[in-house]
Structure formats: structure tokens, C-alpha cells
Amino acid sequence: MSKTVLIVDDSIYMRSLIKTAMEGAGFEVVGEAQNGESAIDLAVQLQPDLITLDNILPDMMGFEILKVLKDEEVPSKVIMVSAVGQQTVVNKGLSLGASEYIVKPFTEEDLLKVVEKVLA
Amino acid sequence: MIKRLTNLPIRQKFAVIIIPLIVIILAFDYLQVRYHYLDYSDSVRLNKAIRVGIEINHVVHEIQKERSISSGFLANQGESFGVKLNKQRESTDSTLQQYYNELTNGDLEDLLELHRTDLDQLNAYFDKLSTLRKNIDEHRISSESSIDRFSEINNNALNTVIKLIDETRDKEIAQQIHAIIYFLKSKEFASIERAIGTQAFSRNHIDFTLYNRFTTLVANQNSYLDAFNIIANQESIEYYNQIVSGEEIEEVDRMREVLFANDTLSENPDHWYESSTIKINRLKDVEDYMSDNIQKRTQNIAQTSVRNFWTFLILDVTIGIIAFWLMTTIVTNLLKNVSILEAYTRRISAGDMTKKVVIPTKDELGQYANTFNRMVLEIRKSQFELRKQRDKAKFLYKNIYGVSLVVFENIEQGIFLLDKEFKISKFHSKAMKEIFSNDRIAGENFANFMRPLILPRELEALEMFMRHLFNEDMDEEVVNQLNPIDQVKIHTEQNGIVATKYIRVEFTRIFRKEKIQNIMVSVSDETESILLQQHLNEAEKKKQQETERVLSILKIDPSILRGFLHNSRKMLKSISERYEKNENDEYGELLSFTFDIIHNLKGNAVVIGMELMANKFHEIEDSITALQSKEVRGKDFLAILYEVDEADRMIAEIAEMLYKIINIYKKFPAEGDSVSNIMVIDSLERGAELIAKEEGKTVNLTFDNIDNVVLPEAYIEPFKDMMIQLIRNSVVHGIEAPSVRMSEGKVIMGELLIELSKSDNEMFIRYKDDGRGLDIERIKRQALDKGLVTDTDLKGMEEFEIQSLIFREGFSTADKSGTNAGRGQGMHLVKSILDQYKGAYDITSVDGKSFEMIIKLPVLNVEKGDEE
């Protein structure tokens, strides 16, 4: 059974980019969220194996979602997706429960490498 | 280390403080200057880089357009975009030209040098444009490939821009530069999106690959925009939101959604291109705005840096100069004052206190100087006091102590003080040592000192006496009467020789505060005076005895006395003869023999009234009587013999005295005056000496037998007158000058002789000199010249007669008339006297040898005298 993925990003093009890459690699994209609220709902509901989480969303920050996921005891691995690879941002995400991070823009290979690492 | 530091001179201490300070300040200044300079150079360089970057961005912007147009041109096989493409190529070339022009601008050299490789690479990419265009014109390249080729060039151009500008020390600028970089990337993706869109709408179709690429482009474009939105400053974001909005932008979004939906792509590609281009141009506006801002900012920083640099430099130098001036002034002043103080203290330690130290400042050093001056004043006062005291002491020493010492050194008396324990004072006169022949004087107990010198009885008395001396209840005068060593005989020993001395010791009380403090003792050595006194006493005694003897002799008839003396000596001699012959030691017999003789002699002495000898013989008798009562031994008899010898000696003395008396009688038979005799001799001697001196000659006058023959009173004056004339004649005429005498082998001193003799009725006076004798021829000539005789007279005269001419009145042989001769008087006087006293004369003259005259005078009275 293939691994399940939830994609959280406000940009439809980015979601499309990630979805294409993941499905191409054999993952099952079980949900897409374009804001924090739906992201939390879907994550709790679907309990996917992996979540790609954009840090900047229209309604909340990715960090806040990480906290909620932790409180709700969602077991999914989370890959933070950040526009700027600032060290403080990265460290904060990792300390809040994210497994890895990736800086936008990235190529398909970059993404899959990180995913592989997280799910290994 | 600390100790070495604290031991440094003040000058070096200052250096230790100041030098590190100066070094720190200089280092700080250097860092500041460097910081400002780096800011400045950084800003200037960044400004230039941005200028170049802007040019490159213009080119990129044009190439982006050309890429889209070329893409559309290739996609619809040249149906549209043909005209546009050529136009766009011109625009591209124009911006390229501008970029190249900028590169040749002079002030970019350092930047070009730094990024040579990057720029060369970029230019090579730009050069590829012509080949690419040719391929596009000939449709030898697909639309997708052309996009890739253009993108390749643009990608390189953007990377070059990033390299150029991504190097600054200013955080804010660095952030804004990154914002621009994100923005440029986003814009590049937007531009590629435009190209892909143009291609898709030109074909009315988008395949899977292109679709994916389109999605990725948009996603990435948005990602960079997100990053831009995070780090760009508020100004830029606001500008972006203001510019990139409105209908045209919404139109682009709409057509993008059409593409994303991928249903029917019936949109006009020109419309897409125009709309996208408007958007991209807006994006370019934002980009220019941001570049412009950064450029302004870098310029501003450069200016600020320069201003800060100069401000700092001027401020720093000013403060530095002021600080240095203050430091120098203070340190110099301090050092100067310190060195003044130092010099002053050195002078004081060398003893010069004549000057005050002057420190003009009112700081601690100034106060020290005042304190110093007060101290020195006090020291000087004390020194003055001390000097006064010292001078006084010196004066006292010189005038009192010094004198005392001199006195002690030279006085012939022994002087010292006794303390209450009878100890001799340390200071005592030098004479003490000589008087007592003892070095150990000072500190000795006087009684102990005297112990070996005086009798125990005297010592005991001395100790008691000294106690009395310190007893104030006893009168000093009374005590001094008890002085047991007022005059005492002591025996001193020096170098084994014992000397007897008579010393006088006197004691005087010394009072201090009405108490007897010491006893001053003076010791005088009176040995010499006492011995002299003794001698005098003895001499007196002896004289008395002699007088007695003389008197006893004079009482006795000389012939009887002579007989007694003769007899006595003979008898006494017989005693010693008998003693010498005494071989059997029969002293008893010898003694009685002696007694008989002495007794006999004593009787004779008594008979003639010789009491002196009678007494002496009586003494001998007593001695013999004393011996007769016991057995006589040789030793006992020796004492008698000694006394006999003494008697003999007395007789001898009396005999000698008698002889002397007889001699006196002989010399002065009548009332002859020996005194006159001597006076005559004396006056003749002096006369001869005087005349000789005047004549430049020396003579020796000898008298022969003049003691035995006494001139009668009546002859003394005539004798003297004649002799003076003869002496004068001899010295002037007879005795030759010393040189002549020397050449004739005579002694230089002329000899004159006067001899007296007499017979029963005549007195003879013989006068003789060792001169040249009488010159007969000269006498003749003289007598003729003076008219005393005639030639005829002379021819008939004997030699004696001619010689006698010298006695004639008016005769003088001397050529010139002097005091001593030549007055024609002298020899005539002799003749006159002889005539007066009925005398006669005879002359014997030996030529060159002598002149001799014998005068005979009759004896005036018949002398009485005892000639034996």
C-alpha cells in the first residue's frame, strides 16, 4: 500500500507541482489544503503518512499548525516548505515537530530526496 | 616585576603609562579609519556594481521580451511576431550597447578586475545571441529550445548580477539586495511563463511537458515572490502592491488560469503577450525602483562614510592634539618640578642650604617645596646654633684646653689631679714621666704609685695626709704642714740604672661648688739644685780648710815649716815602706811603730803651731788606739794606712801651697807691680796688631822671660815707648809685604820678639824682628838728603855709626810720612830715652834676615829677695 500525503499550500500551482511530483513517485495524495483550518481538519481526519506544510498560509503560520498537530497527536511526518531558508525559521519548525524542511523554489528531485529521508 | 616598575624614575613611569595609551589610541584610530574607509569603499564599489547590474538587468529585460517574441514566432511558424521580433532585437541590441558602454566607463576598472571571469563569461553568452537569432530566423530550432537558450543567457546574466552585488557589509543593504535577487528570479520566471504562454496560445495547445513546466514556473515564481515579500522592506512591497495591480494584471491572472485549466486555448497569443509584457514591465518598474533605492542608499552610505571619516579624523586629531598638549604640559611641568625638587634635595644633601626651592605651581609639589623650605630654614637655624656652639667649644678648646695641654706638654713640673680615691687623673703633665721614669701614671693610686719610691714610714704618713687633704674640716694650711713628701729623696730606675732624685711635692685643694673635688698635686724635681747646694757646701768647707791651712802656714817661719814638712813626709813614707816589707803579718808591731811615728809627728806639729796637722795626727792616734785593744788584722791596718795617706796628702798640699807663696814673693820682690807689667804687654800686643793691620801685614809679638823679670815702675813707660817705636819701625820698614815674604821663603806672619833679662846691676831688653834688616845704602842716602851728614862724614864712618844714623833727629827712610813712621821722630825718641836713663844699645842687622837691638839699662834699686 502506497504512503499517503497531505499537501498544504495556498498556491494552487505549488500544490499542483508537489502533487505531480509525489504521485509520480508512487505516493497517494489523499488531500490538499489551501489554508490552516482545512489543513488541520484534513490532517486529523486523514492521518496521512506525510504532510508537506507551507509555512506562510492566509489564515495562520505553519508553526501554529505544527503545534495543533502535536496537541491532536497526529502521527504524520511533516516536511516544512519555506520560501526563505532562514536558519531561525528552520530551527523553529524542527523544534515544533517537523521532520525536515525544504526551501522554495525546489525541483522534483530535491523534494523527493527530502521525502525519502523523512520516510526512511 | 611590580617592584621594578615602582622603582622606575618618575619620567619612565609616565612613559609606562602614556606609551601604551598612545598605542591603544592609535590602534583605535586606525580601526576607526579603516572601518570608515571600508564602509566608503564598499559603498562606492557596490554603487558601481549596482550600476553595472542595472545595465545587465536592462539587457535581461529585453532578452526576456525577445525570448517571448521568438518563442511565439517559432510556435506559429512566423505567422505573427515577425515585425515585433525585429523591433525587439533592436531594443535588445540597444540595451546591450548601453551595457558595453557602461563597462568601458573609466571608474569601473577595479570592479572589472574583480569580476573579470564572470563578466567575460557573460559577454560570451551575450555573443551567442546572434547565432541563436539566426537559428530562429531559419526555424532551425524549436520554440522550447529557443526558450531554453534565451533562459540560459538570462540565467547567466542574473547570476552575474547576483555575484556583482551580493557582497556588502551593510546588513540592511544585503537584505534588500537579496530581495532584489528574489524579485529578479521571480521576474525571470514570469518572463518564461510569458514565453511559454505565448507559445501555447500561438499553438492553441499545451502538451504535458510544457504544462508541467508552466505549473512549476508559476509555483517557483510565487515562491520567489513569497521570499521577496518576507525580506523586502515595506517601501518596496508597498510599491510592488501599488504598481503590480489593476486590470492588466488581473487579465494576466485570468489567462494564466485558462492555461492552468488547459481546456480550450482560444485566447489571442498577442493579447497574452501584451498583457504579460505590461505586467513584466511593471515588475521591471519595481525592480528599477528597488535598484534605484539601493543605489541611493549606497551613495548615501558612501557620503556618510566620507563625512564620518573626515569628521572622525578631524575630531580625533583635534582631541589628540589637545590631549597630547595637555599631557605634555602637565607631564613636562611635573617632571620639571620634580627635577627642581630633585636638584634641590641633591644640593641640600651636599650641604648647600643657601637657596630656597621655588616651584611656581600650587599643587602638591608646590606644597612640598614650601614644606622643604620651612624644613631647610629650621635646619639652617639648628646648624647655625650648632656652629655657634661648635665655635664656642673650639674657642674654649684652643684657649683653655689647648693651653692646658701645651702647659702639660712643656712644663717641667709634674702636675696632676687626685680624686677622692687618691687616683691620678688621666691628664697629667709630661714631666711626670721623666721625673718618675714610669709610664703607668694615669688612674694609679698615688700611694701605690709612691710605694716603691719612699720609705714605708713616709708612705704611711702620706696616706694619712691625703685623707686629711680631703677632710674639709681641716684647714688646708695646717694640713699642708704635715706633708711628708714636701721634700723627699726617691730612687728611680730606668734601663737598669738607679738614679737618686730629690723631689718636692705640693698639694692644693680644688673646690667645685664649695666642696673639695680634687687635689692638685705638683711635683718638682729639685735634684740638681740640691746637688748644687751640696757641692757648694762642700766647696765652702774645703775653702775654709784651705784658708785655715794657709793661715797656719803663714804663722810659721818658712824654714822651720819646710823642715817640718820635709821631715813629716820622710817619716810617713817610712810607715808605708815598713808595711810593704811586712812579710810576716806582724801587724801589732807595725801598729805600734806607726803609733810612735804619728805621735812624734803630732808633737812636732804642736811645737811649730801647726794645729791642722796636729789634729789630723791626733785622729790617726785615736784610730790606732782603738785598734790596739784587739787583735790587729791586715784589713784593720789598711784603714790606718788610708788615714796616713790622707795626712801625707795634706802635707803635700801644704808644701805646694808654701811653694806657691814663695813664688809670689819671688815675682814681686819689692813693691813690684805685676799688674803694670801685664798691662804693658797687653798694650804692646795691641799696638803691634794695629800697626800691622794698617800696613796690610801680619805679625806675631812674642815675649820671653817677661814673667820672671819684673820691670820697675820707673821703667814701664820708657820701656813701652821704646818698644812701640821699634815695633813700628819693624812693621813699616823691616817686615816685608806678605807677597815678598812668600817669594823669599819666609812665613807670611812676621815674627817680633821682646826678651827681658837682668844681671845684678843691669837690665837687658832684647828686641828682634825677622824682616829685611837695615839697608845701609839707603840710610846713607837718606842722611845725605836730609842734610844730616856730608859725603865726607860718611866715608869716615863705621857700619855701626851709619846704622846709628837712624836714631838721629829728622831722619826718616820712609818716602811718605804716615802715622806709623816717616816723621823722622820714632827712632830718635828711642835714643833720647836711652840717653835719659843712661842706657846703651847694640844693633845687629843681617841683610834680608833680621834686625836685632839689645838695650842695656842700669838696675835702679838693689832688690831684696830670697833666692834659693
Side-chain angles (χ1 to χ4, degrees):
Chain A
M1 204 183 128
S2 57
K3 302 265 183 185
T4 55
V5 179
L6 171 64
I7 301 169
V8 182
D9 205 308
D10 60 332
S11 165
I12 185 174
Y13 303 101
M14 186 55 80
R15 289 205 301 277
S16 167
L17 179 74
I18 295 172
K19 187 180 177 184
T20 309
M22 296 305 279
E23 285 177 349
F27 291 92
E28 186 189 351
V29 178
V30 288
E32 288 180 42
Q34 55 181 335
N35 55 48
E37 199 179 335
S38 64
I40 290 165
D41 286 347
L42 284 174
V44 172
Q45 184 196 328
L46 301 171
Q47 304 272 319
D49 293 318
L50 185 72
I51 300 171
T52 66
L53 178 63
D54 188 13
N55 192 33
I56 302 166
L57 293 168
D59 54 350
M60 59 175 78
M61 293 293 285
F63 298 142
E64 292 170 79
I65 295 167
L66 273 175
K67 277 182 198 164
V68 177
L69 291 183
K70 202 174 181 183
D71 291 346
E72 297 289 331
E73 295 182 340
V74 176
S76 313
K77 304 266 184 188
V78 180
I79 294 174
M80 289 288 293
V81 179
S82 164
V84 180
Q86 286 159 304
Q87 199 60 39
T88 48
V89 176
V90 169
N91 287 343
K92 192 172 179 188
L94 293 178
S95 71
L96 288 171
S99 299
E100 262 300 340
Y101 75 95
I102 187 163
V103 178
K104 294 193 285 188
F106 47 80
T107 61
E108 213 175 294
E109 293 80 45
D110 291 338
L111 178 65
L112 291 177
K113 221 183 266 177
V114 172
V115 170
E116 219 170 282
K117 194 173 161 192
V118 169
L119 294 179
Chain B
M1 178 65 194
I2 294 291
K3 201 172 179 192
R4 270 181 67 185
L5 207 62
T6 51
N7 282 344
L8 285 176
I10 291 176
R11 198 177 298 269
Q12 288 175 22
K13 278 181 185 156
F14 275 125
V16 168
I17 295 165
I18 289 166
I19 288 170
L21 258 176
I22 289 174
V23 169
I24 288 165
I25 290 168
L26 287 178
F28 174 75
D29 283 358
Y30 170 74
L31 289 176
Q32 280 294 308
V33 167
R34 185 162 174 273
Y35 175 78
H36 288 301
Y37 176 74
L38 286 180
D39 262 7
Y40 168 77
S41 67
D42 194 46
S43 307
V44 168
R45 190 172 44 72
L46 188 59
N47 196 264
K48 288 176 190 170
I50 289 167
R51 246 161 58 204
V52 175
I54 285 169
E55 292 306 326
I56 293 172
N57 284 342
H58 287 325
V59 175
V60 167
H61 183 69
E62 295 308 317
I63 289 174
Q64 283 169 350
K65 283 197 241 171
E66 191 178 329
R67 175 174 57 194
S68 298
I69 294 166
S70 301
S71 169
F73 174 76
L74 284 173
N76 58 20
Q77 307 294 319
E79 284 174 19
S80 59
F81 296 110
V83 183
K84 236 175 212 169
L85 185 59
N86 283 331
K87 239 172 144 180
Q88 182 54 47
R89 282 178 178 168
E90 279 172 27
S91 298
T92 307
D93 288 344
S94 153
T95 52
L96 252 179
Q97 196 52 53
Q98 270 182 44
Y99 157 71
Y100 286 130
N101 288 346
E102 183 66 34
L103 284 189
T104 52
N105 202 335
D107 68 341
L108 291 178
E109 265 173 26
D110 50 341
L111 188 78
L112 295 179
E113 195 58 44
L114 202 63
H115 297 285
R116 173 62 54 202
T117 340
D118 299 327
L119 291 170
D120 282 351
Q121 199 185 354
L122 175 61
N123 296 347
Y125 271 101
F126 283 152
D127 290 344
K128 284 180 181 171
L129 264 178
S130 54
T131 320
L132 181 56
R133 282 172 181 169
K134 205 175 170 189
N135 286 337
I136 288 166
D137 289 345
E138 293 169 6
H139 297 280
R140 277 193 286 164
I141 188 168
S142 68
S143 176
E144 288 84 353
S145 292
S146 80
I147 291 173
D148 288 343
R149 293 286 89 76
F150 281 114
S151 295
E152 212 177 344
I153 294 169
N154 271 357
N155 196 34
N156 195 277
L158 279 179
N159 283 338
T160 304
V161 171
I162 289 166
K163 278 180 185 166
L164 280 176
I165 64 176
D166 190 12
E167 217 177 280
T168 177
R169 298 164 56 243
D170 190 305
K171 263 191 180 174
E172 172 64 17
I173 290 176
Q175 194 173 339
Q176 291 317 305
I177 281 171
H178 276 99
I180 288 184
I181 289 167
Y182 289 139
F183 193 80
L184 284 175
K185 284 185 172 171
S186 173
K187 181 180 161 245
E188 168 68 2
F189 283 127
S191 167
I192 298 171
E193 181 197 356
R194 178 179 61 184
I196 287 172
T198 307
Q199 184 192 341
F201 286 123
S202 297
R203 285 181 183 161
N204 295 322
H205 159 78
I206 185 164
D207 64 20
F208 178 72
T209 313
L210 200 63
Y211 180 80
N212 271 350
R213 197 167 168 199
F214 165 73
T215 316
T216 307
L217 275 173
V218 178
N220 286 351
Q221 194 185 136
N222 289 345
S223 294
Y224 280 122
L225 264 181
D226 285 349
F228 164 78
N229 272 312
I230 290 168
I231 64 170
N233 58 18
Q234 203 53 40
E235 242 181 336
S236 305
I237 290 166
E238 273 170 18
Y239 190 75
Y240 170 81
N241 289 335
Q242 185 195 328
I243 296 292
V244 190
S245 61
E247 275 179 38
E248 293 86 351
I249 306 304
E250 281 165 16
E251 184 63 11
V252 172
D253 285 348
R254 187 191 62 79
M255 291 175 82
R256 177 191 276 172
E257 278 165 22
V258 171
L259 259 180
F260 189 63
N262 198 6
D263 290 337
T264 45
L265 303 180
S266 54
E267 298 288 334
N268 182 355
D270 277 327
H271 179 60
W272 162 254
Y273 175 80
E274 294 304 334
S275 304
S276 294
T277 300
I278 289 168
K279 183 190 169 186
I280 287 168
N281 283 345
R282 298 272 177 85
L283 289 177
K284 177 81 172 88
D285 261 7
V286 175
E287 180 204 311
D288 287 347
Y289 173 81
M290 286 171 71
S291 300
D292 203 36
N293 270 352
I294 286 182
Q295 217 171 5
K296 274 183 195 157
R297 194 173 162 77
T298 54
Q299 261 168 6
N300 190 29
I301 285 174
Q303 283 166 7
T304 313
S305 296
V306 169
R307 201 170 55 238
N308 285 350
F309 173 78
W310 284 113
T311 311
F312 173 79
L313 205 65
I314 290 165
L315 213 68
D316 191 58
V317 168
T318 312
I319 290 171
I321 287 170
I322 291 170
F324 193 74
W325 175 76
L326 275 172
M327 221 148 71
T328 313
T329 309
I330 289 168
V331 169
T332 309
N333 178 260
L334 276 176
L335 286 181
K336 191 181 141 204
N337 288 347
V338 166
S339 70
I340 288 173
L341 272 183
E342 196 196 349
Y344 183 65
T345 49
R346 206 175 290 142
R347 205 168 56 208
I348 285 173
S349 68
D352 178 9
M353 300 198 191
T354 54
K355 281 179 189 158
K356 276 187 172 185
V357 60
V358 179
I359 288 186
T361 57
K362 285 184 178 169
D363 57 1
E364 287 90 333
L365 288 178
Q367 285 167 15
Y368 291 158
N370 288 338
T371 314
F372 249 133
N373 287 335
R374 279 201 297 278
M375 273 163 60
V376 169
L377 192 70
E378 287 304 317
I379 291 172
R380 281 182 67 182
K381 271 189 201 162
S382 330
Q383 272 193 339
F384 178 72
E385 256 331 291
L386 279 175
R387 206 171 291 137
K388 226 163 73 179
Q389 294 296 332
R390 192 190 61 196
D391 289 348
K392 214 158 130 186
K394 254 192 196 167
F395 176 81
L396 284 175
Y397 173 81
K398 272 190 190 162
N399 288 279
I400 298 170
Y401 186 67
V403 169
S404 309
L405 278 190
V406 169
V407 170
F408 270 23
E409 276 293 304
N410 294 293
I411 196 166
E412 285 177 10
Q413 270 189 320
I415 295 178
F416 59 90
L417 293 178
L418 278 182
D419 62 13
K420 283 177 182 162
E421 277 143 18
F422 312 139
K423 287 211 174 118
I424 300 172
S425 58
K426 188 183 169 197
F427 288 102
H428 50 76
S429 63
K430 203 180 176 185
M432 284 292 287
K433 198 173 137 189
E434 288 158 21
I435 293 171
F436 291 102
S437 305
N438 190 349
D439 281 338
R440 292 182 54 191
I441 298 168
E444 294 291 316
N445 182 295
F446 186 56
N448 286 342
F449 182 76
M450 291 301 286
R451 194 181 301 277
L453 305 174
I454 55 177
L455 299 172
R457 175 167 40 85
E458 290 167 336
L459 186 69
E460 213 173 295
L462 176 65
E463 283 174 336
M464 188 187 284
F465 169 67
M466 288 196 294
R467 279 198 295 277
H468 289 328
L469 276 172
F470 278 105
N471 186 349
E472 281 169 29
D473 296 335
M474 293 182 79
D475 183 68
E476 187 171 7
E477 224 171 292
V478 174
V479 173
N480 266 325
Q481 282 172 6
L482 302 174
N483 183 359
I485 52 172
D486 179 34
Q487 253 190 320
V488 72
K489 188 168 155 188
I490 58 168
H491 299 284
T492 61
E493 192 184 326
Q494 194 171 20
N495 304 327
I497 298 163
V498 178
T500 305
K501 283 180 179 174
Y502 295 91
I503 58 169
R504 175 184 288 278
V505 187
E506 287 171 354
F507 297 83
T508 313
R509 282 172 172 172
I510 306 281
F511 287 89
R512 190 172 295 168
K513 290 174 183 170
E514 296 177 5
K515 293 255 177 189
I516 300 170
Q517 185 73 21
N518 291 100
I519 303 294
M520 186 178 82
V521 184
S522 63
V523 183
S524 20
D525 184 350
E526 299 193 329
T527 308
E528 275 182 34
S529 64
I530 284 172
L531 286 181
L532 190 66
Q533 189 63 46
Q534 282 179 353
H535 279 302
L536 281 175
N537 289 346
E538 274 172 30
E540 183 67 25
K541 200 173 161 192
K542 201 173 171 187
K543 201 172 127 194
Q544 222 166 3
Q545 278 182 350
E546 272 186 8
T547 314
E548 218 172 284
R549 273 178 221 169
V550 170
L551 287 174
S552 60
I553 291 166
L554 291 176
K555 284 193 292 189
I556 305 162
D557 183 81
S559 56
I560 295 171
L561 181 62
R562 199 175 289 150
F564 166 76
L565 292 173
H566 186 73
N567 189 39
S568 294
R569 293 198 80 175
K570 214 167 91 187
M571 298 291 272
L572 290 173
K573 203 177 173 191
S574 74
I575 294 174
S576 41
E577 278 170 2
R578 185 75 184 264
Y579 171 71
E580 280 161 19
K581 284 178 190 161
N582 182 25
E583 290 161 358
N584 301 325
D585 293 342
E586 291 162 348
Y587 291 110
E589 197 189 327
L590 192 56
L591 198 65
S592 60
F593 172 75
T594 307
F595 186 80
D596 289 346
I597 287 172
I598 297 297
H599 187 70
N600 188 12
L601 288 176
K602 183 182 135 188
N604 288 347
V606 171
V607 169
I608 64 166
M610 190 89 192
E611 278 172 41
L612 188 70
M613 287 316 297
N615 288 343
K616 183 64 193 170
F617 289 138
H618 185 75
E619 277 175 25
I620 300 174
E621 259 183 15
D622 282 351
S623 300
I624 294 172
T625 309
L627 277 181
Q628 273 173 340
S629 61
K630 58 178 184 178
E631 197 185 338
V632 184
R633 285 179 305 179
K635 190 182 155 197
D636 299 323
F637 195 73
L638 272 180
I640 304 297
L641 265 185
Y642 178 77
E643 287 191 59
V644 170
D645 269 356
E646 212 167 32
D648 187 47
R649 215 163 34 244
M650 282 171 76
I651 288 165
E653 280 172 12
I654 292 166
E656 195 181 337
M657 223 178 287
L658 184 65
Y659 177 71
K660 275 181 184 170
I661 292 165
I662 289 164
N663 264 348
I664 289 166
Y665 283 141
K666 269 188 196 165
K667 271 185 184 174
F668 308 105
E671 55 270 14
D673 194 347
S674 63
V675 178
S676 304
N677 224 355
I678 290 163
M679 280 173 70
V680 170
I681 291 166
D682 189 49
S683 69
L684 287 179
E685 276 177 340
R686 274 189 286 115
E689 199 180 336
L690 199 71
I691 296 160
K693 201 176 166 190
E694 282 177 13
E695 293 294 322
K697 298 170 183 173
T698 49
V699 292
N700 179 34
L701 178 58
T702 313
F703 295 94
D704 249 15
N705 212 19
I706 204 147
D707 290 336
N708 293 336
V709 180
V710 177
L711 283 168
E713 178 84 36
Y715 280 160
I716 285 175
E717 278 305 308
F719 170 74
K720 194 180 90 179
D721 290 347
M722 284 192 298
M723 287 306 116
I724 277 292
Q725 292 312 323
L726 285 172
I727 287 166
R728 176 173 287 140
N729 203 52
S730 289
V731 173
V732 176
H733 305 296
I735 301 296
E736 307 89 336
S739 55
V740 179
R741 287 181 68 88
M742 212 148 72
S743 65
E744 288 177 2
K746 290 179 172 175
V747 285
I748 288 170
M749 189 176 278
E751 278 296 338
L752 306 179
L753 176 74
I754 296 169
E755 190 183 317
L756 295 181
S757 54
K758 79 177 192 185
S759 65
D760 283 347
N761 40 20
E762 271 183 322
M763 277 198 74
F764 300 97
I765 303 166
R766 178 167 165 252
Y767 177 85
K768 190 182 176 184
D769 71 33
D770 67 344
R772 58 167 72 91
L774 294 175
D775 186 343
I776 297 296
E777 290 309 311
R778 221 175 140 197
I779 293 169
K780 283 180 185 171
R781 227 173 24 246
Q782 189 79 6
L784 284 173
D785 287 351
K786 300 284 179 182
L788 300 178
V789 288
T790 59
D791 275 344
T792 328
D793 293 340
L794 284 174
K795 276 168 191 162
M797 285 166 87
E798 296 284 314
E799 191 181 346
F800 176 73
E801 286 173 311
I802 295 166
Q803 285 172 340
S804 294
L805 285 173
I806 60 171
F807 296 114
R808 294 279 286 274
E809 195 170 6
F811 180 89
S812 178
T813 54
D815 297 329
K816 55 178 192 234
S817 181
T819 322
N820 302 325
R823 281 169 300 186
Q825 177 67 30
M827 295 310 271
H828 171 67
L829 185 69
V830 175
K831 184 72 168 44
S832 314
I833 292 168
L834 283 178
D835 291 347
Q836 187 188 339
Y837 287 93
K838 294 182 176 71
Y841 71 91
D842 188 21
I843 291 173
T844 315
S845 173
V846 183
D847 231 16
K849 296 266 192 216
S850 64
F851 164 80
E852 186 175 358
M853 181 174 178
I854 296 169
I855 293 165
K856 291 175 210 164
L857 289 168
V859 172
L860 293 175
N861 301 312
V862 177
E863 291 175 52
K864 58 170 184 182
D866 193 351
E867 298 285 324
E868 199 208 29

